[in-house]
């Protein structure tokens, strides 16, 4: 009877999660493509509530530590974060326009990091998908900046949807290659 020892560099239990994550990214990307306006509004409102919560927590923390140095700065930071969240909640369209630039910068930076990742894993199967995703992300980030602010809603919904879709695809493909070859360095 032979027993297989687990590979410490790529545990078996994480393989399933990578596949699930890839599928969730694909589903989310398709939904964003089908409903870009709703996706953009949901993004703005979610961020608004996160900022409101974070601002509230910062204010409470500042009050709890008011006897320590920096109380005024902590309180000011909490108030600014709270006000930013409230303004996003009250003016979601302006928030979407602002988010378009932020998301464009995030997608662009993510593209650069995946481009570097692709070059680092180049000899492994599936590296081309990572490269394609990186290049696509760089182009999408540039398009968001180019079309701003007129097409902010469409850019946030559609282009983020495409980005999520391709990110999910390459994760599944690279993970599938790892399962075939057993080479954890490819993931």
């Amino acid at each position: 009877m032979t027993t297989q020892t687990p590979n410490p560099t790529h545990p078996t239990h994480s393989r399933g999660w990578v596949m699930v994550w890839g599928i969730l990214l694909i589903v989310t990307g398709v939904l964003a493509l089908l409903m870009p306006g709703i996706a953009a509004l949901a993004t703005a409102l979610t961020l608004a509530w996160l900022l409101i919560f974070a601002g509230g927590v910062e204010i409470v923390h500042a009050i709890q530590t008011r006897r320590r140095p920096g109380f005024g700065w902590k309180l000011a930071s909490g108030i600014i974060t709270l006000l930013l969240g409230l303004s996003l909640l009250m003016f979601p369209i302006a928030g979407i326009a602002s988010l378009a630039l932020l998301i464009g910068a995030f997608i662009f930076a993510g593209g650069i990091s995946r481009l570097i990742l692709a070059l680092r894993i180049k000899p492994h199967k599936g590296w081309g998908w990572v490269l394609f995703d990186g290049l696509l992300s760089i182009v999408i980030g540039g398009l968001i900046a180019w079309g701003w602010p007129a097409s902010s809603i469409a850019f946030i919904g559609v282009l983020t949807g495409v980005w999520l879709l391709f990110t999910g695809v390459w994760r599944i493909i690279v993970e599938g290659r790892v399962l075939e070859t057993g080479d954890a360095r490819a993931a």
Side-chain angles (χ1 to χ4, degrees):
M1 184 160 123
T2 62
T3 58
Q4 186 177 13
T5 58
N7 183 345
T9 60
H10 194 70
T12 307
H13 70 295
S14 70
R15 290 179 178 158
W17 288 111
V18 173
M19 298 298 270
V20 168
W21 182 240
I23 291 167
L24 286 174
L25 286 169
I26 291 169
V27 169
T28 305
V30 168
L31 289 174
L33 287 170
L34 294 174
M35 302 175 284
I38 292 172
L41 183 62
T43 300
L45 294 177
T46 300
L47 181 59
W49 283 109
L50 287 172
L51 289 169
I52 290 168
F53 177 74
V57 170
E58 283 185 272
I59 291 168
V60 168
H61 174 69
I63 292 169
Q64 289 176 341
T65 60
R66 66 184 165 272
R67 304 228 187 277
R68 296 184 194 161
F71 163 71
W73 290 110
K74 288 186 246 179
L75 184 63
S77 174
I79 291 170
I80 290 169
T81 303
L82 179 67
L83 290 175
L84 179 60
L86 289 172
S87 63
L88 267 175
L89 192 62
M90 292 188 294
F91 306 105
I93 301 302
I96 289 170
S98 300
L99 287 175
L101 283 180
L102 291 174
I103 288 173
F106 173 75
I107 291 172
F108 187 82
I112 290 172
S113 93
R114 280 187 293 284
L115 184 66
I116 293 167
L117 173 64
L119 297 175
R120 298 223 11 153
I121 66 170
K122 186 175 180 179
H124 299 288
K125 291 182 181 180
W127 77 272
W129 283 100
V130 182
L131 177 69
F132 179 71
D133 180 44
L135 293 173
L136 181 66
S137 296
I138 290 169
V139 169
I140 288 172
L143 286 173
I144 289 173
W146 182 56
W148 189 84
S151 54
S152 295
I153 292 173
F155 275 139
I156 287 177
V158 173
L159 297 179
T160 301
V162 170
W163 175 69
L164 288 167
L165 182 70
F166 277 101
T167 300
V169 167
W170 78 252
R171 287 183 190 278
I172 290 172
I173 289 173
V174 169
E175 186 62 22
R177 301 285 186 201
V178 169
L179 291 175
E180 286 176 12
T181 65
D183 186 0
R185 293 176 299 165

